[in-house]
Every structure is written in C-alpha cells, then in structure tokens.
C-alpha cells in the first residue's frame, strides 16, 4: 500500500518515552503505558497505537496485531501518559488443537504512530503455558489455587537496567 496502517500527518511533532509493562492485581490485566509529549510549537493530536507481536509460537501468527489505540490532543510542551489495558486473552492464539492458549515465549509490545513508525519497544518473556484462557473474560486466580494443567504465566521483563518478575494471573 501507499501508506502504512495508521499513517497520518500533523503540524507539530511528538516524542514518545517511558514505556512500561505492568500487571494488574484485581482483574488480572496487563497494562502497557508510555508518555507522549508535544515537542512542536502548535496544538496537535496524535493517535498512539499499541501493537503486540508473538515472537515464537507453535502455529503461524500475524507479524503484529493492533491491540489498542488512543487519540491524544496536546498543547505545545504538554505531555500525557497513555495507558492500554490488555486481558490475558489478548496474548492468546488458536493452537493446533483449536484451543485458545497463551504459549510460553517472547511477546513484543510496540508503540508508535503507525504500523511502520514504531517509537518504543519492550519484549516480555512468558515462561509457562496457560491452556485455560477465557476469551472476553479473565479469571481471578491466586498462585496457590491453580489446579491440574492450568498454570500461572510467570514473566520476566528485561529492561536496560532492571529485571522485573511478575505474573499475569496473580499479584506478585
């Protein structure tokens, strides 16, 4: 195509920073956030887009999937934190047995102004498989209450200076 998905023009410029991936405790949610600042001299609007890529999976998956977007209007010099809330099912794939599964492996969270103008990237490593992913809902689980084939999704987020341990399904 002539233009990438989400392409748009503006009379000002925007800077993206402070990408964070964190995990909710009450609703078992994944929260991805970043700061967007208007670095230009005019009032402007930017559509901040979140893409997720499953780096390694047992079946073929899309290169990346749009999982959220938000339009922010900012005055010159103003900044705002943009938050996207994902459920564990947003990381699920339909596996070879036709079951929704969150497989272990690397998931890359990419934030940008279009599908090709990616400004921030962070990779999360899921260490265990979860076969019980409810599409459209989440399950409140605690680490000690997981039965049988069901397991928690332990993750490690590796940044430049920090390694964080967390769990998608339970408060850490």
């Amino acid at each position: 195509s002539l233009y990438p998905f989400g392409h748009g023009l503006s009379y000002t410029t925007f800077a993206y920073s402070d990408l964070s991936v964190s995990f909710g405790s009450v609703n078992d949610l994944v929260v991805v956030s970043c700061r967007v600042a208007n670095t230009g001299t005019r009032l402007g609007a930017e559509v901040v887009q979140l893409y997720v890529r499953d780096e390694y999976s047992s079946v073929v998956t899309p290169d990346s999937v749009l999982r959220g977007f938000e339009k922010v209007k900012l005055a010159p010099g103003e900044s705002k934190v943009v938050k996207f809330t994902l459920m564990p099912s947003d990381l699920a794939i339909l596996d070879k047995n036709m079951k929704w599964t969150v497989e272990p492996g690397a998931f890359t969270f990419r934030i940008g102004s279009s599908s090709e103008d990616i400004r921030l990237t962070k990779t999360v490593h899921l260490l265990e498989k979860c076969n019980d992913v409810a599409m459209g809902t989440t399950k409140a689980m605690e680490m000690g209450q997981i039965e049988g084939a069901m397991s928690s999704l332990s993750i490690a987020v590796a940044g430049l200076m920090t390694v964080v341990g967390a769990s998608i399904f339970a408060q850490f």
Side-chain angles (χ1 to χ4, degrees):
S1 70
L2 189 56
Y3 297 102
F5 180 79
H7 174 76
L9 299 176
S10 179
Y11 290 105
T12 191
T13 56
F14 296 92
Y16 291 61
S17 63
D18 304 328
L19 177 59
S20 170
V21 179
S22 61
F23 304 89
S25 59
V26 176
N27 296 316
D28 306 318
L29 303 175
V30 179
V31 178
V32 181
S33 65
C34 72
R35 179 170 296 282
V36 179
N38 182 342
T39 57
T41 58
R42 296 179 179 228
L43 176 71
E46 178 83 334
V47 178
V48 181
Q49 301 167 30
L50 169 65
Y51 294 88
V52 178
R53 175 189 297 195
D54 186 348
E55 298 291 344
Y56 311 103
S57 64
S58 63
V59 296
V60 176
T61 58
D63 180 56
S64 64
V65 178
L66 178 66
R67 287 297 183 201
F69 60 92
E70 183 177 335
K71 185 175 186 177
V72 292
K73 293 182 182 178
L74 299 170
E78 183 181 11
S79 69
K80 178 182 178 183
V81 173
V82 178
K83 292 183 181 181
F84 300 99
T85 303
L86 302 177
M87 298 181 350
S89 60
D90 290 322
L91 303 179
I93 61 168
L94 194 58
D95 69 11
K96 64 183 179 180
N97 298 317
M98 302 305 288
K99 294 188 182 210
W100 288 105
T101 305
V102 178
E103 294 184 328
F107 288 84
T108 301
F109 295 90
R110 304 173 338 149
I111 291 186
S113 63
S114 78
S115 62
E116 291 186 6
D117 186 9
I118 300 300
R119 312 282 181 92
L120 302 171
T121 301
K122 182 168 273 194
T123 300
V124 172
H125 298 279
L126 300 177
L127 304 177
E128 295 181 35
K129 183 175 182 176
C130 179
N131 291 321
D132 190 10
V133 178
M135 300 309 290
T137 62
T138 59
K139 294 190 173 192
M141 293 187 251
E142 293 186 21
M143 291 297 284
Q145 298 175 337
I146 298 171
E147 300 177 30
M150 221 164 65
S151 61
S152 68
L153 291 177
S154 298
I155 63 158
V157 179
L160 292 175
M161 301 290 288
T162 309
V163 175
V164 178
S167 174
I168 286 181
F169 289 105
Q171 182 177 6
F172 59 98

